[in-house]
Amino acid sequence: MKTNKAEIIYSEEINLINSPHFTDWGVHLICNEGDAMFLFNSKPVTIKKNDAAVINHPELVTYINASDDLEIRFIAAPFKFLYNLLPANHYGIGGHISLFENPVIPLSEEDARRFNNDIEQLRLRSADNHHLFYDELVGSLALTMIYDLFDFHAKLHCETSPTERTTNVVKRLLALLENGRAKRYREVAYYANELNVSPKYLSETVKRITGNSVMNLMDKYAVPILIDFLKNSELTFTQISEEMNFSSLSYFSRYAQKHLGMSPTAYRVANSTYKNKL
């Protein structure tokens, strides 16, 4: 088992999928031979040849039992790394809800070859940690793997419409965020009130179902809006702060610093420098 600076781990050992190291990580696995059984969130799960498994809470895996001829490969990476790769409006969170109920995705021979190739490319290139754009390189390969998994999952579950209360709460939250509410509202209490649940229930449900906090989801939608505003040099920082409903200009600046890694002024200078070089 090998770890790199982008925190990508490749392994062929089934007994490592619930390693304590993988708390708040995602495990992306394919079975190439044999079969295995384990409990996931106390529910029995079986994988066999050409089954993919997306395990977003590996700490919930217990009692692993594998056949002697089992051959699996998996890539594991932190949620934070994987989640930051994805655009705000994506299939992933909805798929994540379904995968929490059943993490296994049966694949065709063609799709199994494609997924194996995704894993192999990540395995090979994750060793190239002297690459000057290592994180971006590995991130692009991980993103390809994720979108392939979305494709595999959607082909099986595009007709599925879960009605469980917890699922509906998460889907309604996403609908509010996708409609632009994060532009002006970035407090858990606001969304809990809109959804008629307590802030604690909303926070715990979203974390359990998606692996992400409500704050992370809000920021995922709000930060691209902030970036678009900052790229518009005709808007003053005061105008942006008011448009995004920050309580003060200093809070707006702190938010930008936290999520962009630099102040609003520094971001605009960097963006202007980049555009001038094009």
Side-chain angles (χ1 to χ4, degrees), residues 56-96:
N56 290 315
H57 292 274
E59 72 277 7
L60 298 180
V61 173
T62 56
Y63 300 107
I64 302 170
N65 189 14
S67 64
D68 292 339
D69 61 341
L70 180 73
E71 293 181 14
I72 63 105
R73 314 171 77 194
F74 73 79
I75 290 287
F79 275 139
K80 184 176 180 180
F81 172 70
L82 296 173
Y83 188 66
N84 286 340
L85 296 174
L86 296 167
N89 187 8
H90 62 82
Y91 176 84
I93 297 174
H96 196 138

CSV table of all heavy atoms in Angstrom, one decimal, residues 56-96:
chain,number,residue,atom,x,y,z
A,56,ASN,N,-18.3,5.1,0.3
A,56,ASN,CA,-18.1,6.4,0.7
A,56,ASN,C,-18.0,6.6,2.2
A,56,ASN,O,-17.7,7.6,2.7
A,56,ASN,CB,-19.2,7.4,0.2
A,56,ASN,CG,-19.0,7.6,-1.3
A,56,ASN,OD1,-17.9,7.8,-1.8
A,56,ASN,ND2,-20.2,7.5,-2.0
A,57,HIS,N,-18.2,5.5,2.9
A,57,HIS,CA,-18.0,5.5,4.4
A,57,HIS,C,-17.4,4.1,4.7
A,57,HIS,O,-18.0,3.2,5.3
A,57,HIS,CB,-19.4,5.6,5.1
A,57,HIS,CG,-20.1,6.9,5.0
A,57,HIS,ND1,-19.8,8.0,5.8
A,57,HIS,CD2,-21.0,7.3,4.1
A,57,HIS,CE1,-20.5,9.0,5.4
A,57,HIS,NE2,-21.2,8.6,4.4
A,58,PRO,N,-16.1,4.0,4.4
A,58,PRO,CA,-15.4,2.7,4.6
A,58,PRO,C,-15.4,2.3,6.1
A,58,PRO,O,-15.2,1.1,6.4
A,58,PRO,CB,-14.0,2.9,4.1
A,58,PRO,CG,-13.8,4.4,3.9
A,58,PRO,CD,-15.2,4.9,3.7
A,59,GLU,N,-15.5,3.2,7.0
A,59,GLU,CA,-15.5,2.9,8.4
A,59,GLU,C,-16.8,2.1,8.8
A,59,GLU,O,-16.8,1.4,9.9
A,59,GLU,CB,-15.5,4.2,9.3
A,59,GLU,CG,-16.7,5.0,9.3
A,59,GLU,CD,-16.8,6.0,8.1
A,59,GLU,OE1,-16.0,5.9,7.2
A,59,GLU,OE2,-17.8,6.8,8.1
A,60,LEU,N,-17.8,2.0,7.9
A,60,LEU,CA,-19.0,1.2,8.1
A,60,LEU,C,-18.9,-0.2,7.6
A,60,LEU,O,-19.8,-1.0,7.7
A,60,LEU,CB,-20.2,1.9,7.5
A,60,LEU,CG,-20.5,3.3,8.0
A,60,LEU,CD1,-21.8,3.8,7.2
A,60,LEU,CD2,-20.8,3.3,9.5
A,61,VAL,N,-17.7,-0.5,7.0
A,61,VAL,CA,-17.5,-1.9,6.5
A,61,VAL,C,-17.0,-2.8,7.7
A,61,VAL,O,-16.0,-2.4,8.4
A,61,VAL,CB,-16.4,-1.9,5.4
A,61,VAL,CG1,-16.1,-3.3,5.0
A,61,VAL,CG2,-17.0,-1.2,4.2
A,62,THR,N,-17.6,-3.9,7.9
A,62,THR,CA,-17.2,-4.9,8.9
A,62,THR,C,-17.3,-6.3,8.3
A,62,THR,O,-17.9,-6.6,7.3
A,62,THR,CB,-18.0,-4.8,10.1
A,62,THR,OG1,-19.4,-5.0,9.8
A,62,THR,CG2,-17.8,-3.5,10.8
A,63,TYR,N,-16.7,-7.3,9.0
A,63,TYR,CA,-16.8,-8.7,8.7
A,63,TYR,C,-16.6,-9.0,7.2
A,63,TYR,O,-17.4,-9.6,6.5
A,63,TYR,CB,-18.2,-9.2,9.1
A,63,TYR,CG,-18.5,-9.1,10.6
A,63,TYR,CD1,-19.4,-8.1,11.0
A,63,TYR,CD2,-17.9,-9.8,11.5
A,63,TYR,CE1,-19.7,-7.9,12.4
A,63,TYR,CE2,-18.1,-9.6,12.9
A,63,TYR,CZ,-19.0,-8.7,13.3
A,63,TYR,OH,-19.3,-8.5,14.6
A,64,ILE,N,-15.4,-8.7,6.8
A,64,ILE,CA,-15.0,-9.0,5.4
A,64,ILE,C,-14.6,-10.5,5.2
A,64,ILE,O,-13.9,-11.1,6.0
A,64,ILE,CB,-13.8,-8.2,5.0
A,64,ILE,CG1,-14.1,-6.7,5.1
A,64,ILE,CG2,-13.4,-8.5,3.5
A,64,ILE,CD1,-12.9,-5.8,5.0
A,65,ASN,N,-15.2,-11.2,4.2
A,65,ASN,CA,-15.0,-12.6,4.0
A,65,ASN,C,-14.8,-12.8,2.5
A,65,ASN,O,-15.7,-12.4,1.7
A,65,ASN,CB,-16.1,-13.4,4.5
A,65,ASN,CG,-15.8,-14.9,4.4
A,65,ASN,OD1,-14.6,-15.3,4.3
A,65,ASN,ND2,-16.8,-15.8,4.6
A,66,ALA,N,-13.7,-13.3,2.0
A,66,ALA,CA,-13.4,-13.4,0.6
A,66,ALA,C,-13.0,-14.8,0.2
A,66,ALA,O,-12.5,-15.6,1.0
A,66,ALA,CB,-12.2,-12.5,0.2
A,67,SER,N,-13.4,-15.1,-1.1
A,67,SER,CA,-13.0,-16.4,-1.7
A,67,SER,C,-11.5,-16.4,-1.9
A,67,SER,O,-10.8,-15.4,-2.0
A,67,SER,CB,-13.7,-16.6,-3.0
A,67,SER,OG,-13.4,-15.7,-4.0
A,68,ASP,N,-10.9,-17.7,-2.0
A,68,ASP,CA,-9.5,-17.8,-2.2
A,68,ASP,C,-9.0,-17.2,-3.5
A,68,ASP,O,-7.8,-16.8,-3.6
A,68,ASP,CB,-9.1,-19.3,-2.1
A,68,ASP,CG,-9.3,-19.9,-0.7
A,68,ASP,OD1,-9.3,-19.1,0.2
A,68,ASP,OD2,-9.4,-21.1,-0.6
A,69,ASP,N,-9.9,-17.2,-4.5
A,69,ASP,CA,-9.5,-16.7,-5.8
A,69,ASP,C,-9.8,-15.2,-6.1
A,69,ASP,O,-9.8,-14.7,-7.2
A,69,ASP,CB,-10.1,-17.5,-7.0
A,69,ASP,CG,-11.6,-17.5,-7.0
A,69,ASP,OD1,-12.2,-17.1,-5.9
A,69,ASP,OD2,-12.2,-17.8,-8.0
A,70,LEU,N,-10.1,-14.5,-5.0
A,70,LEU,CA,-10.5,-13.1,-5.1
A,70,LEU,C,-9.4,-12.3,-5.7
A,70,LEU,O,-8.3,-12.4,-5.3
A,70,LEU,CB,-11.0,-12.5,-3.8
A,70,LEU,CG,-11.4,-11.1,-3.9
A,70,LEU,CD1,-12.8,-11.0,-4.5
A,70,LEU,CD2,-11.5,-10.5,-2.5
A,71,GLU,N,-9.7,-11.5,-6.7
A,71,GLU,CA,-8.8,-10.5,-7.2
A,71,GLU,C,-9.6,-9.1,-7.3
A,71,GLU,O,-10.5,-9.0,-8.1
A,71,GLU,CB,-8.3,-10.8,-8.6
A,71,GLU,CG,-7.4,-12.1,-8.6
A,71,GLU,CD,-6.9,-12.4,-10.0
A,71,GLU,OE1,-7.0,-11.5,-10.9
A,71,GLU,OE2,-6.4,-13.5,-10.3
A,72,ILE,N,-9.1,-8.2,-6.5
A,72,ILE,CA,-9.7,-6.9,-6.5
A,72,ILE,C,-8.6,-5.8,-6.7
A,72,ILE,O,-7.5,-6.1,-6.4
A,72,ILE,CB,-10.6,-6.6,-5.3
A,72,ILE,CG1,-9.7,-6.6,-4.0
A,72,ILE,CG2,-11.7,-7.6,-5.1
A,72,ILE,CD1,-9.4,-5.2,-3.4
A,73,ARG,N,-9.0,-4.6,-7.1
A,73,ARG,CA,-8.2,-3.5,-7.1
A,73,ARG,C,-9.0,-2.3,-6.6
A,73,ARG,O,-10.2,-2.2,-6.9
A,73,ARG,CB,-7.7,-3.1,-8.5
A,73,ARG,CG,-7.2,-4.3,-9.3
A,73,ARG,CD,-7.0,-3.9,-10.8
A,73,ARG,NE,-5.7,-3.2,-10.9
A,73,ARG,CZ,-5.4,-2.5,-12.0
A,73,ARG,NH1,-6.2,-2.4,-13.0
A,73,ARG,NH2,-4.2,-1.9,-12.1
A,74,PHE,N,-8.3,-1.4,-5.8
A,74,PHE,CA,-9.1,-0.2,-5.4
A,74,PHE,C,-8.2,1.0,-5.3
A,74,PHE,O,-7.0,0.9,-5.1
A,74,PHE,CB,-9.9,-0.4,-4.1
A,74,PHE,CG,-9.1,-0.5,-2.8
A,74,PHE,CD1,-8.6,0.7,-2.2
A,74,PHE,CD2,-8.8,-1.7,-2.2
A,74,PHE,CE1,-7.9,0.6,-1.1
A,74,PHE,CE2,-8.1,-1.8,-1.0
A,74,PHE,CZ,-7.6,-0.6,-0.4
A,75,ILE,N,-8.8,2.1,-5.5
A,75,ILE,CA,-8.2,3.4,-5.3
A,75,ILE,C,-9.0,4.1,-4.2
A,75,ILE,O,-10.2,4.1,-4.2
A,75,ILE,CB,-8.3,4.3,-6.6
A,75,ILE,CG1,-7.4,3.8,-7.7
A,75,ILE,CG2,-8.0,5.8,-6.3
A,75,ILE,CD1,-6.0,4.0,-7.5
A,76,ALA,N,-8.3,4.7,-3.2
A,76,ALA,CA,-8.9,5.4,-2.1
A,76,ALA,C,-8.3,6.8,-2.1
A,76,ALA,O,-7.1,7.0,-2.4
A,76,ALA,CB,-8.6,4.7,-0.8
A,77,ALA,N,-9.1,7.8,-1.8
A,77,ALA,CA,-8.7,9.2,-1.7
A,77,ALA,C,-9.6,9.9,-0.7
A,77,ALA,O,-10.8,9.5,-0.5
A,77,ALA,CB,-8.7,9.8,-3.1
A,78,PRO,N,-9.2,11.0,-0.1
A,78,PRO,CA,-10.0,11.7,0.8
A,78,PRO,C,-11.2,12.4,0.1
A,78,PRO,O,-11.1,12.8,-1.0
A,78,PRO,CB,-9.0,12.8,1.4
A,78,PRO,CG,-7.7,12.3,1.0
A,78,PRO,CD,-7.8,11.5,-0.2
A,79,PHE,N,-12.3,12.5,0.9
A,79,PHE,CA,-13.5,13.2,0.3
A,79,PHE,C,-13.1,14.6,-0.1
A,79,PHE,O,-13.5,15.1,-1.1
A,79,PHE,CB,-14.5,13.3,1.4
A,79,PHE,CG,-15.4,12.1,1.6
A,79,PHE,CD1,-15.8,11.6,2.8
A,79,PHE,CD2,-15.9,11.5,0.4
A,79,PHE,CE1,-16.6,10.6,2.9
A,79,PHE,CE2,-16.8,10.4,0.6
A,79,PHE,CZ,-17.1,9.9,1.8
A,80,LYS,N,-12.3,15.3,0.7
A,80,LYS,CA,-12.0,16.7,0.4
A,80,LYS,C,-11.3,16.8,-0.9
A,80,LYS,O,-11.6,17.7,-1.7
A,80,LYS,CB,-11.1,17.2,1.5
A,80,LYS,CG,-10.8,18.7,1.4
A,80,LYS,CD,-9.9,19.2,2.5
A,80,LYS,CE,-9.6,20.7,2.3
A,80,LYS,NZ,-8.8,21.3,3.5
A,81,PHE,N,-10.4,15.9,-1.2
A,81,PHE,CA,-9.7,15.9,-2.5
A,81,PHE,C,-10.7,15.6,-3.6
A,81,PHE,O,-10.8,16.3,-4.6
A,81,PHE,CB,-8.6,14.9,-2.5
A,81,PHE,CG,-7.9,14.7,-3.9
A,81,PHE,CD1,-7.1,15.7,-4.4
A,81,PHE,CD2,-8.1,13.5,-4.6
A,81,PHE,CE1,-6.5,15.6,-5.7
A,81,PHE,CE2,-7.5,13.4,-5.8
A,81,PHE,CZ,-6.7,14.4,-6.3
A,82,LEU,N,-11.5,14.5,-3.5
A,82,LEU,CA,-12.4,14.1,-4.6
A,82,LEU,C,-13.5,15.2,-4.8
A,82,LEU,O,-13.8,15.5,-5.9
A,82,LEU,CB,-13.0,12.8,-4.2
A,82,LEU,CG,-12.0,11.6,-4.1
A,82,LEU,CD1,-12.8,10.4,-3.6
A,82,LEU,CD2,-11.4,11.3,-5.5
A,83,TYR,N,-14.0,15.6,-3.7
A,83,TYR,CA,-15.2,16.6,-3.7
A,83,TYR,C,-14.8,17.9,-4.4
A,83,TYR,O,-15.6,18.4,-5.2
A,83,TYR,CB,-15.7,16.8,-2.3
A,83,TYR,CG,-17.0,17.6,-2.3
A,83,TYR,CD1,-18.2,17.0,-2.8
A,83,TYR,CD2,-17.1,18.8,-1.8
A,83,TYR,CE1,-19.4,17.7,-2.8
A,83,TYR,CE2,-18.3,19.5,-1.7
A,83,TYR,CZ,-19.4,19.0,-2.3
A,83,TYR,OH,-20.6,19.7,-2.2
A,84,ASN,N,-13.6,18.4,-4.2
A,84,ASN,CA,-13.2,19.6,-4.7
A,84,ASN,C,-12.9,19.5,-6.2
A,84,ASN,O,-12.8,20.5,-6.9
A,84,ASN,CB,-11.9,20.1,-4.1
A,84,ASN,CG,-12.2,20.7,-2.7
A,84,ASN,OD1,-13.3,21.0,-2.3
A,84,ASN,ND2,-11.1,20.7,-1.8
A,85,LEU,N,-12.9,18.3,-6.8
A,85,LEU,CA,-12.7,18.1,-8.2
A,85,LEU,C,-14.0,18.4,-9.0
A,85,LEU,O,-13.9,18.8,-10.2
A,85,LEU,CB,-12.3,16.7,-8.5
A,85,LEU,CG,-10.9,16.2,-8.0
A,85,LEU,CD1,-10.8,14.7,-8.3
A,85,LEU,CD2,-9.8,17.0,-8.6
A,86,LEU,N,-15.1,18.3,-8.3
A,86,LEU,CA,-16.4,18.3,-9.0
A,86,LEU,C,-17.0,19.7,-9.1
A,86,LEU,O,-16.9,20.4,-8.2
A,86,LEU,CB,-17.4,17.3,-8.3
A,86,LEU,CG,-17.0,15.9,-8.3
A,86,LEU,CD1,-17.8,15.1,-7.3
A,86,LEU,CD2,-17.1,15.3,-9.7
A,87,PRO,N,-17.7,20.0,-10.2
A,87,PRO,CA,-18.4,21.2,-10.3
A,87,PRO,C,-19.6,21.1,-9.4
A,87,PRO,O,-20.0,20.1,-9.0
A,87,PRO,CB,-18.9,21.3,-11.8
A,87,PRO,CG,-18.9,19.8,-12.2
A,87,PRO,CD,-17.8,19.2,-11.5
A,88,ALA,N,-20.2,22.3,-9.1
A,88,ALA,CA,-21.3,22.3,-8.1
A,88,ALA,C,-22.5,21.5,-8.6
A,88,ALA,O,-23.1,20.8,-7.8
A,88,ALA,CB,-21.7,23.8,-7.9
A,89,ASN,N,-23.0,21.7,-9.8
A,89,ASN,CA,-24.2,21.0,-10.3
A,89,ASN,C,-23.8,19.6,-10.9
A,89,ASN,O,-23.4,19.6,-12.1
A,89,ASN,CB,-24.9,21.9,-11.3
A,89,ASN,CG,-26.2,21.3,-11.7
A,89,ASN,OD1,-26.7,20.3,-11.1
A,89,ASN,ND2,-26.8,21.9,-12.7
A,90,HIS,N,-23.8,18.6,-10.1
A,90,HIS,CA,-23.4,17.3,-10.6
A,90,HIS,C,-24.2,16.2,-10.1
A,90,HIS,O,-25.0,16.3,-9.2
A,90,HIS,CB,-21.9,17.1,-10.2
A,90,HIS,CG,-21.7,17.1,-8.8
A,90,HIS,ND1,-21.9,16.0,-8.0
A,90,HIS,CD2,-21.3,18.0,-7.9
A,90,HIS,CE1,-21.6,16.2,-6.7
A,90,HIS,NE2,-21.2,17.5,-6.7
A,91,TYR,N,-24.0,15.0,-10.7
A,91,TYR,CA,-24.8,13.8,-10.4
A,91,TYR,C,-24.3,13.2,-9.1
A,91,TYR,O,-25.1,12.5,-8.4
A,91,TYR,CB,-24.6,12.8,-11.5
A,91,TYR,CG,-25.2,11.4,-11.3
A,91,TYR,CD1,-26.6,11.2,-11.6
A,91,TYR,CD2,-24.5,10.4,-10.8
A,91,TYR,CE1,-27.2,10.0,-11.4
A,91,TYR,CE2,-25.1,9.1,-10.6
A,91,TYR,CZ,-26.4,9.0,-10.9
A,91,TYR,OH,-27.0,7.7,-10.7
A,92,GLY,N,-23.1,13.6,-8.6
A,92,GLY,CA,-22.5,12.8,-7.6
A,92,GLY,C,-23.2,12.7,-6.3
A,92,GLY,O,-23.3,11.6,-5.7
A,93,ILE,N,-23.8,13.8,-5.8
A,93,ILE,CA,-24.5,13.7,-4.5
A,93,ILE,C,-25.7,12.9,-4.6
A,93,ILE,O,-26.0,12.1,-3.7
A,93,ILE,CB,-24.8,15.1,-4.0
A,93,ILE,CG1,-23.5,15.9,-3.8
A,93,ILE,CG2,-25.6,15.1,-2.7
A,93,ILE,CD1,-23.6,17.3,-3.4
A,94,GLY,N,-26.5,13.0,-5.6
A,94,GLY,CA,-27.7,12.2,-5.8
A,94,GLY,C,-27.3,10.7,-5.9
A,94,GLY,O,-27.9,9.8,-5.3
A,95,GLY,N,-26.2,10.4,-6.6
A,95,GLY,CA,-25.7,9.1,-6.7
A,95,GLY,C,-25.2,8.6,-5.4
A,95,GLY,O,-25.4,7.4,-5.0
A,96,HIS,N,-24.6,9.5,-4.7
A,96,HIS,CA,-24.0,9.2,-3.3
A,96,HIS,C,-25.1,8.7,-2.4
A,96,HIS,O,-25.0,7.7,-1.6
A,96,HIS,CB,-23.4,10.4,-2.8
A,96,HIS,CG,-22.5,10.2,-1.6
A,96,HIS,ND1,-21.3,10.8,-1.5
A,96,HIS,CD2,-22.6,9.4,-0.5
A,96,HIS,CE1,-20.7,10.5,-0.4
A,96,HIS,NE2,-21.5,9.6,0.2
